[in-house]
C-alpha cells in the first residue's frame, strides 16, 4: 500500500501538546479489508481519521469538545467513522457511542456494518452493546474494569435510548472508572434531531422562555454530563445547522474535517453541473401529486416513463450484460401513508399489465403501441451507453426483468430491510424513511416529485438525494425525475455546498471560519436549515419591536465587557433630564462592525438568548451589507457618574431579572424606557442593574442586561421569503 504521509507533516510548528494518533494493527486490519478502496483512497480515509482524532480529548483528561466532519451525501461517512473507531481503539480509547439516526432501520444498518466491518464476532478487540440499558450495567462495568476491548454502543437517536445509556454512565461505580477512559460520541446525521428545537414556539415573545427543550437535545446534554472525558463528533453532509447555532451552544463545533469522497463518487456536481450529460428528467407541474392541491386519480405519465426505463435497465445491465447483480428504483412522493400505498398499487398494477400485454398474441391490439413506447424508453435510457445491445435483443428479456423485480413499501410499520440480492430489481416506494441515512443499494432510477410550496430547506432537500453515491459502473442508466423547481433548488444548493466546503478547507477552526465568513452564501431559492432549530424568524423575516435578553449568566465577565465597550465612546449625547438620575440616559451611534465585535463576546449559557444573539448578529450584517445602514444606536440607560452611582434594582423570577425596562410615569413626567429608541437604526439599551434578592448567590450583585429594538422601517427585504411549507407539514 502507498506510504502514509502523516498529517503532522502539513502542520507548520505544531503546538507542544499536539497529539498525533498512531496507526496500529486494528486500523490496518480494518482498512486492508476494504477491497473497494485503492491505495490512495486508503491513505485519504486514514489521514482524515487521524485529523479528527487529533482534535479529540485524550484519555485521562477531564474535558470535552465538540467537532464536526463534513462529507457529501452518500459519500462514505460510515466508512470514515468506522476507521475513526479502529484508530481510536489503537490509541487507547475504550468507549465509542454511536447516535445512529432516528429510525430503527438506520440503527440496525449501522450496527450490522460495525459488527461486520470490525469483525466484532471474530476477534476480541471490540465488544458491542446495541441499545444498552440499565440491565447491561454490570456487564459493562465488568468489561470496563477487567477487559481490554473497546466497547461500542450503537443506539437509536431517541431520548429514551439516550437517557437509558446516560443512566448507566451515571452509576457511581462506573463514574469512578470513567475518569481514566477516553470516550468518543459519534453523532451520525448530526443535523437531525440533535439540535435543540424549542425556539419556534418562543420566537414571537418579547421574553423568550426555555420551556420547550427538545427531549432528544436534553437527553444528549444528560449523556455528555455523565461522561467526564468525551469528544462529540458530528458527522453530516448538511452542516448548516451546526454552523448557524451560536458558538456558545454545547453542540457548536470547535474543529472541523472536510471529508474527501472516494473515486467514482457521483454527487451534486455530477448530476446538476454536468455540461456533457443530462441525467435529469423534468416532471411537469400538472403531474406533481399533492393530496389536496393536485390529487391525481391515475398514475402520472412521467412515472410510467421512469418505470419503463428502469425495467429496460434491469434487462440490459443485470440480465443481458450482467454488469450488476441488481438495480433499484426509488419513488418518493410525500410523507403521507395513503399516498405511498396508492403509488405502490399503481406501480404494481402497471407492471402486471406489462407482463399481460407482452404475453398476449402477436395480433393483440395493445401489444404494438406498448412495444413502441418501450422502444422510445429504450432510446432514452441507452443514450449514454457504449455498445448498447439492440432493442430487439432486449425485448424478450423484459418479461423476466419484470418477473424478477419486487416492489417494497418503506414506511413506519412496514418492511424496512431489503434482501437486495434476492431479486434483479427493487422498487422502493416510501416517505421519510427514504430521506436520509437509509442506503438504497444500486439505486439507478429516482422518481421524486416531492417539493414544497414556498422556499425549500437546504439541508432537508439535500438529504433526500439517495441518488448520489458511487454509481460510475452503471451511471449510464442513472436517471432522476424531478420538478423544475427542485432541479433549480438542487443546482443552487450545489453552488452553496462547494463554496462552503472551500471556505472550510481554508480554515483551521470553526471560529476562524465564522470570522472569515460573515454570511453563509445561499441562493434566495432556499432556506438554510429547519427553522425550528434556531428560530421561527431566523434569517428570512424581519425582526420587529422590542426584545429583552434577560440573563444572570457570566455576570462579571459580561460586566467587564460592557464597561470596556462603553467607556471609550466619546460621542454620547444626553437624551434629556427627567428629575431623577435613574431616568436620565445617553446615546451614541456606533458602527455596526464595532458593536458586532462586542456582542460576539457577550456570553449567554441558555439557548433562547444564544439564539437571539446569533439572529441579531446576522440581521445587523444583512442590513449593513444590503441596506447601507452602518450604525447601531447605543443607549446607556440610567447613566450617572461613578461618584453618584445609583442602580436600578430588579427582582429575580425563574432565574432571570424581570421588568428590565421601566414603564411610563402615571403623571406623564417620564415616557418609559421603551420611548428611548431610534426608528432609523437598531437600538440597544444597556441596563446596569442590581439584583434585589436576599440570597447569597445573586444578592446585591450588579450586572448588565441588554434590550434591543428592531424598527419596522428597516429590514423589509431581509431575505424575506415565504415560509417553507413541506408536504409533511401538511399532514
Amino acid at each position: 500500500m502507498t506510504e502514509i504521509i502523516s498529517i503532522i507533516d502539513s502542520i507548520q510548528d505544531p503546538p507542544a501538546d499536539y497529539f498525533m494518533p498512531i496507526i496500529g494493527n486494528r486500523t490496518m486490519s480494518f482498512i486492508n479489508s476494504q477491497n473497494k478502496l485503492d491505495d490512495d483512497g486508503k491513505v485519504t480515509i486514514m489521514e482524515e481519521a487521524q485529523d479528527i482524532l487529533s482534535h479529540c480529548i485524550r484519555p485521562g483528561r477531564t474535558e470535552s469538545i465538540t467537532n464536526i466532519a463534513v462529507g457529501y451525501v452518500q459519500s462514505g461517512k460510515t466508512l470514515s467513522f468506522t476507521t475513526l473507531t479502529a484508530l481510536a481503539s489503537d490509541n487507547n480509547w475504550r468507549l465509542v457511542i454511536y447516535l445512529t439516526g432516528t429510525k430503527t432501520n438506520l440503527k440496525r444498518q449501522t450496527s450490522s456494518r460495525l459488527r461486520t466491518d470490525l469483525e466484532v464476532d471474530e476477534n476480541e478487540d471490540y465488544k458491542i452493546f446495541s441499545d444498552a440499558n440499565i440491565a447491561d450495567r454490570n456487564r459493562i462495568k465488568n468489561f470496563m474494569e477487567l477487559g481490554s476491548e473497546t466497547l461500542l454502543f450503537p443506539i437509536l437517536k431517541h431520548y429514551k435510548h439516550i437517557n437509558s445509556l446516560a443512566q448507566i454512565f451515571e452509576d457511581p461505580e462506573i463514574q469512578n472508572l470513567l475518569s481514566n477512559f477516553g470516550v468518543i460520541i459519534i453523532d451520525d446525521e448530526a443535523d437531525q434531531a440533535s439540535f435543540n428545537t424549542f425556539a419556534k414556539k418562543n420566537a414571537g415573545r418579547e421574553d423568550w422562555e426555555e420551556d420547550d427543550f427538545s427531549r432528544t437535545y436534553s437527553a444528549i446534554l444528560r449523556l455528555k454530563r455523565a461522561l467526564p472525558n468525551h469528544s462529540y463528533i458530528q458527522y453530516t453532509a448538511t452542516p448548516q445547522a451546526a454552523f448557524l447555532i451560536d458558538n456558545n451552544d454545547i453542540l457548536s463545533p470547535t474543529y472541523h474535517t472536510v471529508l474527501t469522497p472516494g473515486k467514482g463518487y457521483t454527487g451534486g456536481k455530477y448530476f446538476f453541473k454536468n455540461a456533457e450529460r443530462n441525467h435529469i428528467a423534468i416532471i411537469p407541474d400538472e403531474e406533481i401529486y399533492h393530496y389536496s392541491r393536485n390529487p391525481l386519480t391515475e398514475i402520472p405519465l412521467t412515472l410510467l416513463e421512469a418505470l419503463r426505463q428502469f425495467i429496460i435497465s434491469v434487462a440490459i445491465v443485470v440480465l443481458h450484460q450482467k454488469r450488476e447483480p441488481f438495480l433499484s428504483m426509488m419513488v418518493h412522493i410525500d410523507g403521507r401513508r395513503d399516498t405511498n400505498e396508492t403509488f405502490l398499487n399503481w406501480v404494481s398494477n402497471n407492471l402486471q399489465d406489462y407482463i399481460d400485454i407482452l404475453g398476449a398474441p402477436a395480433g393483440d391490439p395493445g401489444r404494438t403501441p406498448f412495444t413502441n413506447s418501450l422502444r422510445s424508453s429504450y432510446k432514452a435510457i441507452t443514450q449514454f451507453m457504449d455498445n448498447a445491445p439492440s432493442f430487439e435483443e432486449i425485448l424478450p428479456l423484459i418479461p423476466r426483468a419484470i418477473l424478477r423485480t419486487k416492489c417494497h413499501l418503506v414506511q413506519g410499520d412496514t418492511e424496512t430491510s431489503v434482501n437486495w440480492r434476492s431479486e434483479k430489481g427493487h422498487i422502493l416506494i416510501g416517505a421519510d424513511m427514504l430521506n436520509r441515512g437509509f442506503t438504497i443499494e444500486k439505486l439507478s432510477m429516482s422518481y421524486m416529485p416531492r417539493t414544497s410550496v414556498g422556499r425549500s430547506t437546504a439541508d432537508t432537500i439535500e438529504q433526500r438525494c439517495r441518488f448520489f453515491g458511487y454509481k460510475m459502473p452503471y451511471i449510464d442508466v442513472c436517471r432522476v425525475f424531478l420538478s423544475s423547481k427542485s432541479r433549480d433548488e438542487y443546482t443552487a444548493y450545489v453552488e452553496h455546498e462547494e463554496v462552503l466546503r472551500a471556505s472550510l478547507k481554508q480554515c483551521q477552526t470553526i471560529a476562524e471560519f465564522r470570522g472569515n465568513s460573515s454570511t453563509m452564501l445561499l441562493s434566495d431559492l432556499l432556506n438554510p436549515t429547519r427553522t425550528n432549530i434556531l428560530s421561527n424568524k431566523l434569517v428570512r423575516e424581519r425582526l420587529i419591536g422590542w426584545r429583552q435578553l434577560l440573563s444572570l449568566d457570566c455576570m462579571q465577565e459580561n460586566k467587564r465587557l460592557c464597561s470596556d465597550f462603553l467607556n471609550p465612546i466619546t460621542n454620547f449625547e444626553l437624551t434629556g433630564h427627567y428629575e431623577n438620575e435613574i431616568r436620565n440616559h445617553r446615546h451614541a451611534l456606533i458602527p455596526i462592525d464595532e458593536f458586532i465585535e462586542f456582542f460576539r463576546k457577550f456570553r449567554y449559557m441558555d439557548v433562547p438568548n444564544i439564539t437571539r444573539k446569533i439572529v441579531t448578529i446576522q440581521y445587523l450584517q444583512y442590513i449593513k451589507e444590503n441596506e447601507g445602514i452602518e450604525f447601531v444606536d447605543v443607549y446607556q440607560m440610567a447613566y450617572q457618574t461613578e461618584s453618584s452611582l445609583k442602580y436600578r434594582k430588579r427582582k429575580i423570577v425563574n432565574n432571570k431579572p424581570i421588568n428590565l425596562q421601566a414603564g411610563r410615569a402615571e403623571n406623564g413626567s417620564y415616557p418609559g424606557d421603551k420611548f428611548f429608541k431610534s426608528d432609523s437604526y437598531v437600538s440597544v439599551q444597556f441596563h446596569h442593574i442590581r439584583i434585589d434578592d436576599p440570597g447569597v448567590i445573586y444578592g446585591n450583585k450588579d450586572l448588565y442586561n441588554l434590550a434591543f429594538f428592531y424598527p419596522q422601517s428597516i429590514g423589509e427585504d431581509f431575505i424575506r421569503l415565504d415560509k417553507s411549507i413541506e408536504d409533511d407539514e401538511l399532514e
Side-chain angles (χ1 to χ4, degrees), residues 400-634:
R400 180 155 183 80
I402 298 172
L403 185 65
R404 292 303 306 271
T405 292
K406 183 178 180 180
C407 295
H408 307 262
L409 184 63
V410 184
Q411 54 188 16
D413 59 357
T414 58
E415 66 171 286
T416 57
S417 60
V418 177
N419 183 0
W420 298 104
R421 292 182 178 269
S422 65
E423 298 294 353
K424 305 301 182 183
H426 297 278
I427 301 176
L428 282 70
I429 301 168
D432 291 340
M433 295 190 74
L434 299 180
N435 256 6
R436 62 167 73 227
F438 184 75
T439 299
I440 304 176
E441 304 251 352
K442 307 291 184 183
L443 177 61
S444 64
M445 182 66 63
S446 299
Y447 187 86
M448 197 171 67
R450 186 173 187 177
T451 187
S452 59
V453 178
R455 299 308 193 270
S456 293
T457 300
D459 51 5
T460 298
I461 66 166
E462 181 73 352
Q463 287 293 351
R464 291 177 184 158
C465 293
R466 299 299 98 193
F467 48 88
F468 292 173
Y470 295 91
K471 302 184 179 300
M472 278 302 176
Y474 56 94
I475 193 65
D476 50 354
V477 293
C478 289
R479 298 292 186 275
V480 183
F481 283 72
L482 297 168
S483 68
S484 58
K485 178 177 182 292
S486 293
R487 177 199 57 195
D488 294 343
E489 288 171 342
Y490 279 119
T491 302
Y493 184 88
V494 169
E495 296 171 355
H496 157 71
E497 181 177 51
E498 293 308 312
V499 170
L500 178 62
R501 286 173 61 89
S503 298
L504 287 170
K505 288 179 179 179
Q506 294 172 3
C507 302
Q508 293 294 319
T509 65
I510 297 300
E512 183 183 350
F513 166 75
R514 285 194 178 102
N516 294 338
S517 305
S518 62
T519 57
M520 189 178 293
L521 177 64
L522 186 62
S523 166
D524 285 356
L525 294 172
L526 297 169
N527 286 319
T529 187
R530 302 181 306 285
T531 56
N532 62 341
I533 289 175
L534 297 165
S535 163
N536 191 33
K537 303 178 184 297
L538 171 62
V539 176
R540 300 308 192 182
E541 298 178 7
R542 285 180 294 166
L543 302 175
I544 301 173
W546 283 105
R547 294 292 184 272
Q548 299 183 37
L549 278 65
L550 305 174
S551 175
L552 298 174
D553 296 329
C554 310
M555 290 192 296
Q556 295 305 312
E557 183 179 344
N558 287 340
K559 186 171 74 169
R560 286 193 298 270
L561 183 66
C562 289
S563 296
D564 291 345
F565 174 71
L566 295 171
N567 289 341
I569 297 175
T570 59
N571 59 327
F572 271 123
E573 297 179 0
L574 292 175
T575 59
H577 294 278
Y578 293 94
E579 301 179 353
N580 187 329
E581 286 180 319
I582 63 173
R583 290 180 174 178
N584 294 333
H585 322 301
R586 62 179 188 169
H587 78 114
L589 293 180
I590 303 299
I592 280 180
D593 288 340
E594 289 185 20
F595 178 79
I596 289 176
E597 183 180 359
F598 151 78
F599 195 38
R600 282 191 190 280
K601 300 174 185 175
F602 201 96
R603 295 196 64 196
Y604 296 107
M605 303 305 291
D606 64 301
V607 177
N609 281 325
I610 288 172
T611 304
R612 176 62 64 186
K613 173 182 165 182
I614 193 66
V615 169
T616 299
I617 289 172
Q618 290 181 340
Y619 183 72
L620 291 173
Q621 288 169 336
Y622 174 81
I623 61 176
K624 175 180 180 290
E625 294 170 7
N626 294 276
E627 299 197 5
I629 296 174
E630 298 183 355
F631 298 99
V632 170
D633 199 359
V634 170

Side-chain angles (χ1 to χ4, degrees), residues 543-545 619 678-683 709-715:
L543 302 175
I544 301 173
Y619 183 72
S678 170
D679 290 326
S680 302
Y681 305 99
V682 172
S683 301
F709 178 75
Y710 311 94
Q712 186 165 353
S713 61
I714 63 175

Side-chain angles (χ1 to χ4, degrees), residues 651-695:
K651 293 186 179 297
I652 297 176
V653 175
N654 295 327
N655 207 38
K656 66 176 75 171
I658 61 169
N659 299 324
L660 184 63
Q661 292 174 304
R664 180 179 179 276
E666 291 185 6
N667 62 7
S669 61
Y670 181 68
D673 285 1
K674 292 185 178 181
F675 173 81
F676 298 97
K677 57 180 175 56
S678 170
D679 290 326
S680 302
Y681 305 99
V682 172
S683 301
V684 188
Q685 292 182 351
F686 283 68
H687 291 262
H688 194 178
I689 60 175
R690 187 181 294 280
I691 300 301
D692 183 10
D693 186 279

Side-chain angles (χ1 to χ4, degrees), residues 131-293:
D131 274 330
N133 57 55
I134 198 63
D136 300 304
R137 178 261 183 201
N138 286 336
R139 293 199 71 213
I140 292 170
K141 181 182 79 70
N142 292 338
F143 270 102
M144 292 175 66
E145 198 167 29
L146 304 173
S148 60
E149 296 89 342
T150 299
L151 308 184
L152 313 180
F153 297 88
I155 63 172
L156 199 66
K157 196 188 298 186
H158 184 278
Y159 71 96
K160 290 183 178 179
H161 297 257
I162 300 171
N163 282 330
S164 291
L165 189 60
Q167 185 181 8
I168 295 172
F169 293 128
E170 289 166 347
D171 180 272
E173 291 186 272
I174 292 180
Q175 279 285 301
N176 290 334
L177 296 171
L178 281 171
S179 60
N180 295 318
F181 275 57
V183 182
I184 292 177
I185 304 173
I186 292 173
D187 187 349
D188 192 18
E189 306 293 349
D191 61 300
Q192 184 189 35
S194 303
F195 296 107
N196 180 56
T197 57
F198 85 98
K200 192 170 185 177
K201 177 179 178 181
N202 289 293
R205 300 179 180 178
E206 186 165 319
D207 299 326
W208 289 14
E209 298 179 7
E210 196 168 5
D211 60 357
D212 193 23
F213 261 66
S214 72
R215 290 178 291 186
T216 298
Y217 182 89
S218 296
I220 290 173
L221 299 188
R222 178 184 176 184
L223 176 62
K224 287 169 65 66
R225 285 193 297 268
L227 300 168
N229 170 306
H230 72 270
S231 304
Y232 191 96
I233 311 300
Q234 303 167 343
Y235 271 83
T236 183
T238 48
Q240 289 79 8
F243 295 154
L244 286 173
I245 62 175
D246 186 81
N247 57 7
N248 281 332
D249 190 281
I250 201 165
L251 292 186
S252 178
T254 301
Y255 293 100
H256 62 279
T257 301
V258 180
L259 303 179
T260 306
K263 292 181 180 178
Y265 177 73
T266 54
K269 287 191 294 184
Y270 186 90
F271 281 98
F272 297 100
K273 291 290 186 179
N274 194 332
E276 298 179 0
R277 290 185 171 187
N278 179 21
H279 292 260
I280 308 300
I282 299 301
I283 305 172
D285 290 345
E286 61 270 20
E287 294 187 21
I288 302 295
Y289 177 91
H290 189 273
Y291 75 100
S292 62
R293 297 191 301 272

Side-chain angles (χ1 to χ4, degrees), residues 356-365 367:
D356 293 342
I357 293 172
L358 291 172
D364 187 277
R367 185 179 174 92

